[in-house]
Amino acid sequence: MNGPETTGSFGERLLQQQLGTTDRAADFYDRQVHPYLTPTMREFIARQSMVFLSTADSRGACDASFRSGPPGFCVSLDDRTLTYPEYRGNGVLASAGNMTENPHLGMLFMDFTRDHIGLHVNGTVQLYTDHDLRAWYPHVPTDTAPGRQPHLWVHVTVEEAYVHCSKYIPHLEPAPRPRPTTDRNRPKDSAYFTESVPSHRAPDAGDAGTGRTSWRQRLRLRP
């Protein structure tokens, strides 16, 4: 179990002090946050068909993304490591590119249909070719997405794993994906968002002349 001085970020703890949630947070850290995957967590991952990803580059610029596949496409190798395949996409490689600069990865698995629960997994990553990963882990499935070959595998060393509570998780019913729409007014994916009118940046609440201070400034002002 993580010690109290190593669980959570400095920013978390500062806000907890400001908002009076330190004791509640300490109880959550103590009971729920693990530096490994429990057997129940590993079973949960094995039946999931999607995961949400959070990465950032070396400057801290963030990116959120989504991966999916047949149940078990993300493989728990043991209680401290897991892996999932990266397939051919638009060629940008935003998530994997961030990982080459900043190896920290946040993952969120969500069960919308059965138990309505989520699992956070935070860790550090290394990127491997399909050949290299299979040399070390020959039991990794060979057909995680029928007809598609992984370009890379993301190998995650778990640092934190903890629950996402069910209270506000919506219920979704599994269903076969409909055939492609025949609506001629529906643009192709590559053009779907390109006609948007650029929006102007809203003034920062902490900008000079507004008479207001941002949360960041308030936290700096307080001891």
Side-chain angles (χ1 to χ4, degrees):
M1 192 70 69
N2 289 343
E5 68 284 346
T6 61
T7 306
S9 67
F10 174 78
E12 284 177 33
R13 294 189 174 278
L14 190 58
L15 278 176
Q16 290 160 17
Q17 292 173 12
Q18 296 288 341
L19 300 177
T21 66
T22 299
D23 290 343
R24 276 194 293 140
D27 182 60
F28 181 85
Y29 291 145
D30 184 60
R31 293 187 300 106
Q32 298 289 355
V33 181
H34 302 276
Y36 54 84
L37 300 172
T38 67
T40 305
M41 290 174 179
R42 296 183 67 187
E43 185 276 330
F44 181 84
I45 291 171
R47 69 172 193 266
Q48 300 310 305
S49 60
M50 67 179 76
V51 63
F52 300 92
L53 306 178
S54 176
T55 62
D57 65 17
S58 59
R59 299 166 299 169
C62 298
D63 182 75
S65 196
F66 169 79
R67 298 290 182 273
S68 64
F73 80 100
C74 187
V75 183
S76 172
L77 300 170
D78 55 47
D79 65 355
R80 293 182 185 270
T81 56
L82 54 82
T83 190
Y84 68 87
E86 285 281 340
Y87 296 104
R88 180 179 178 180
N90 57 15
V92 174
L93 299 170
S95 297
N98 282 348
M99 294 172 195
T100 66
E101 297 185 39
N102 178 350
H104 297 283
L105 172 66
M107 310 177 75
L108 177 60
F109 298 90
M110 297 290 284
D111 179 348
F112 295 102
T113 61
R114 195 180 94 172
D115 295 330
H116 306 94
I117 199 78
L119 174 65
H120 294 264
V121 179
N122 298 326
T124 56
V125 306
Q126 289 182 295
L127 302 178
Y128 292 109
T129 66
D130 187 66
H131 177 271
D132 286 342
L133 187 88
R134 293 187 189 283
W136 296 313
Y137 302 103
H139 63 284
V140 169
T142 58
D143 202 22
T144 52
R148 303 178 69 189
Q149 293 298 317
H151 279 198
L152 296 168
W153 284 84
V154 178
H155 179 277
V156 185
T157 299
V158 176
E159 295 179 343
E160 292 182 332
Y162 56 93
V163 68
H164 185 100
C165 68
S166 64
K167 187 173 183 181
Y168 297 111
I169 296 176
H171 177 72
L172 303 179
E173 288 287 343
R177 181 170 176 167
R179 293 183 178 180
T181 179
T182 57
D183 183 0
R184 294 182 179 180
N185 293 321
R186 195 261 195 204
K188 294 181 179 180
D189 290 0
S190 59
Y192 198 93
F193 295 110
T194 57
E195 300 302 318
S196 301
V197 177
S199 59
H200 296 288
R201 175 182 173 272
D204 190 323
D207 286 349
T210 63
R212 295 177 293 176
T213 56
S214 68
W215 267 101
R216 186 185 296 274
Q217 289 172 315
R218 285 183 230 166
L219 291 173
R220 286 176 178 170
L221 291 173
R222 296 185 184 184

